[in-house]
Amino acid sequence: MVPKTVKGAAAGGIAVAIVFVVTLSADAAPSDKPQILAGFTQSGEASYRAWADADADRGAWSAYEFDWSTDYCSKSADNPLGFPFKKACQRHDFGYRNFKELGTFEDHKKRLDDAFHADLKRICNRYGTFRRSTCRTIAWTYYRAVKTLGD
């Protein structure tokens, strides 16, 4: 909490300084935090890009007090068979951690898991037919794991 001083003057020809002390929270995140968070955690590529841009410039988002911590793909490989799943896992962690902090995780879990799967499939789409098929099989396994075990 940071005290802020506000000064005013009384009417009637006599200047009188009145000092009010108002306590403002320096730690309060902007009121649109849930909407910004939801925008960063949708299934579409534009949402992924917006989140990635924010991740690259976290300082610009410091007022929102987002939890950027991650363990990436937890106990699974971050890059199974060379498929770069690490950033998709990081965004998934971002959604889980921040919606838990807001107390609305259960309302968003399905969408977060679906967005994770969409991120993984976009990664897989970069590959030719055979590798894409292998990648999608692994992506499905990762998705089923978070859908079933993610908390």
Side-chain angles (χ1 to χ4, degrees), residues 33 39 41 43 60 69 75 81 83 90 104 112 114 117 120 132-134 148:
K33 182 176 181 175
T41 55
S43 292
S69 67
K75 295 181 182 181
L81 298 180
F83 300 116
Q90 181 183 357
T104 59
L112 295 171
D114 290 346
H117 193 215
L120 296 175
R132 182 174 40 239
S133 177
T134 302
T148 305

Side-chain angles (χ1 to χ4, degrees), residues 3-132:
K4 181 178 180 183
T5 303
V6 179
K7 296 182 181 181
I14 302 173
V16 177
I18 302 172
V19 178
F20 299 95
V21 177
V22 180
T23 304
L24 302 174
S25 174
D27 298 328
S31 62
D32 64 342
K33 182 176 181 175
Q35 293 81 14
I36 298 295
L37 182 56
F40 284 161
T41 55
Q42 299 297 315
S43 292
E45 187 171 352
S47 175
Y48 177 86
R49 289 182 189 276
W51 170 81
D53 289 345
D55 180 48
D57 188 15
R58 293 178 184 182
W61 297 93
S62 62
Y64 287 88
E65 301 175 340
F66 289 127
D67 181 350
W68 297 95
S69 67
T70 185
D71 62 358
Y72 300 104
C73 298
S74 302
K75 295 181 182 181
S76 300
D78 293 338
N79 300 297
L81 298 180
F83 300 116
F85 287 178
K86 186 175 183 177
K87 290 299 273 187
C89 292
Q90 181 183 357
R91 185 165 89 119
H92 189 247
D93 285 350
F94 176 84
Y96 266 42
R97 284 171 169 81
N98 284 284
F99 279 112
K100 283 178 181 180
E101 182 180 308
L102 290 179
T104 59
F105 172 70
E106 290 301 322
D107 298 336
H108 298 276
K109 183 186 184 311
K110 181 184 181 323
R111 183 178 48 74
L112 295 171
D113 293 345
D114 290 346
F116 177 58
H117 193 215
D119 289 349
L120 296 175
K121 289 190 293 185
R122 270 193 298 280
I123 292 164
C124 295
N125 287 341
R126 301 176 193 162
Y127 296 94
T129 305
F130 176 74
R131 295 264 306 149
R132 182 174 40 239

